[in-house]
Amino acid sequence: MSQVIALVDDDRNILTSVSIALQQEGFVTRVYSDPALALRAISDSPPDLGVFDIKMPGMDGMELLRRVREFSTIPVIFLTSKDDELDEALGLAMGADDYISKPFSQRLLIARIRALLRRQELARGEAVATDEEEAPLLERGRLTMDPARHKVRWDGKDVSLTVTEFLILESLAQRPGVVKTRNQLLDVAYNDDVYVDDRTIDSHIKRIRRKFRSAAPEFDAIETLYGVGYRFDEQ
C-alpha cells in the first residue's frame, strides 16, 4: 500500500510541485493550504508523514505540530526559512523529526522522507520481512519498550513517543547506569546529514519526561549529569 504524505503550505506553487514529485515516486499526497483544515484532516485520518511549512498565516507550522502531537506521533518534517536557526531549533524542540531550509531540492526532500519513513518502519518492526525473529521487548524495571510495535509502557500505562523520542529513550535504556553524551544521542536520533545543536537533545529529554510524568508524576528514571549527558536509572 502506498504511503501517505500530508503537505501543508500556504504557497500553492510549492504544494503543486512537491505533490507531483512525490506522486511520481509512488506516494499518495494530501495537500492543504489551510493549516486548520489540515489539522482536522490529520486527526480524522493520520497520514504516514507530514511536511509542514513553519511560517503560515493564522496557524503557523509550530502551532500545527503542537496540536498534532496531542493525538499523533507521525513523523514531521519542517520547511523553514533559509538559515533561520531559531525556527529549526524551536521546531525540533517541539517534536519535529527533521527540517529542510527553503529553497530546497525536491530530490533532497524525497530522500529525507524516505529515510524518516524507513526509520519509522525499523522502529515498528515493519521493515522487509526476513527469517529473523522480531526484536524482543526491552524491559528495564517499570519500563517496557516494544521496538517491533513502537510501543512504550511505564507501569503498564501506555506512553506515546515520536520516532526520535523512542530512539533516544531506547538508547538510554539499553544500558542502564551508563552515561550517554548529547552527541551520542544525536547520532542515534538523526541522520548524518542533519546538523542540529547538541542542546536539541535537552529539549527532547524534557518532552520525554513530561510525557512519562503524565502517566506517573513521580517519574525520575532519566538522570541529568550536568556537563556530561544523561543516563537511565533502572527502577
Side-chain angles (χ1 to χ4, degrees):
M1 182 179 296
S2 298
Q3 292 167 305
V4 178
I5 312 297
L7 305 173
V8 189
D9 198 312
D10 61 319
D11 187 328
R12 292 185 180 275
N13 290 328
I14 289 179
L15 286 179
T16 300
S17 62
V18 173
S19 179
I20 291 173
L22 288 174
Q23 289 172 13
Q24 290 175 340
E25 294 294 321
F27 294 104
V28 173
T29 59
R30 302 174 186 164
V31 299
Y32 309 95
S33 57
D34 181 346
L37 177 61
L39 179 63
R40 291 194 294 272
I42 292 171
S43 176
D44 291 340
S45 180
D48 294 291
L49 181 143
V51 178
F52 301 166
D53 185 30
I54 285 188
K55 294 182 178 178
M56 296 182 288
M59 182 191 306
D60 65 18
M62 292 189 193
E63 177 62 14
L64 174 60
L65 175 64
R66 186 189 69 78
R67 297 193 186 186
V68 167
R69 285 288 178 255
E70 293 176 356
F71 59 82
S72 176
T73 61
I74 62 166
V76 170
I77 297 175
F78 266 147
L79 301 180
T80 72
S81 301
K82 184 175 177 59
D83 297 328
D84 195 336
E85 295 181 359
L86 179 60
D87 280 352
E88 294 165 1
L90 288 175
L92 292 170
M94 293 181 65
D97 294 279
D98 202 347
Y99 65 86
I100 294 181
S101 296
K102 293 182 178 180
F104 57 88
S105 158
Q106 291 185 356
R107 181 177 298 177
L108 174 62
L109 176 60
I110 291 169
R112 292 284 182 85
I113 288 173
R114 289 194 184 283
L116 198 49
L117 289 172
R118 177 65 175 172
R119 280 174 51 197
Q120 185 181 47
E121 289 171 354
L122 291 172
R124 293 179 175 176
E126 296 173 354
V128 176
T130 69
D131 292 332
E132 298 178 5
E133 295 182 0
E134 66 180 31
L137 294 180
L138 176 62
E139 297 180 303
R140 297 290 185 266
R142 300 160 69 185
L143 173 71
T144 301
M145 302 187 72
D146 185 350
R149 296 169 181 79
H150 194 73
K151 296 287 187 180
V152 182
R153 289 185 176 181
W154 183 262
D155 279 344
K157 297 180 180 178
D158 289 333
V159 179
S160 180
L161 300 182
T162 67
V163 174
T164 302
E165 292 163 355
F166 188 98
L167 292 171
I168 291 172
L169 178 61
E170 183 180 35
S171 178
L172 290 170
Q174 283 173 341
R175 301 186 66 189
V178 174
V179 180
K180 295 290 184 73
T181 66
R182 293 180 178 87
N183 284 335
Q184 287 175 320
L185 294 174
L186 280 175
D187 288 343
V188 169
Y190 292 99
N191 295 326
D192 292 340
D193 57 351
V194 179
Y195 299 98
V196 296
D197 187 275
D198 61 1
R199 292 292 175 176
T200 300
I201 291 296
D202 299 346
S203 298
H204 285 304
I205 293 292
K206 288 179 182 178
R207 290 178 59 83
I208 293 170
R209 285 172 171 157
R210 184 161 60 245
K211 290 180 177 182
F212 273 89
R213 285 170 181 163
S214 294
E218 76 284 359
F219 176 83
D220 61 355
I222 299 177
E223 182 180 359
T224 302
L225 283 82
Y226 293 98
V228 182
Y230 297 94
R231 68 183 171 198
F232 182 83
D233 179 18
E234 186 171 1
Q235 300 180 347

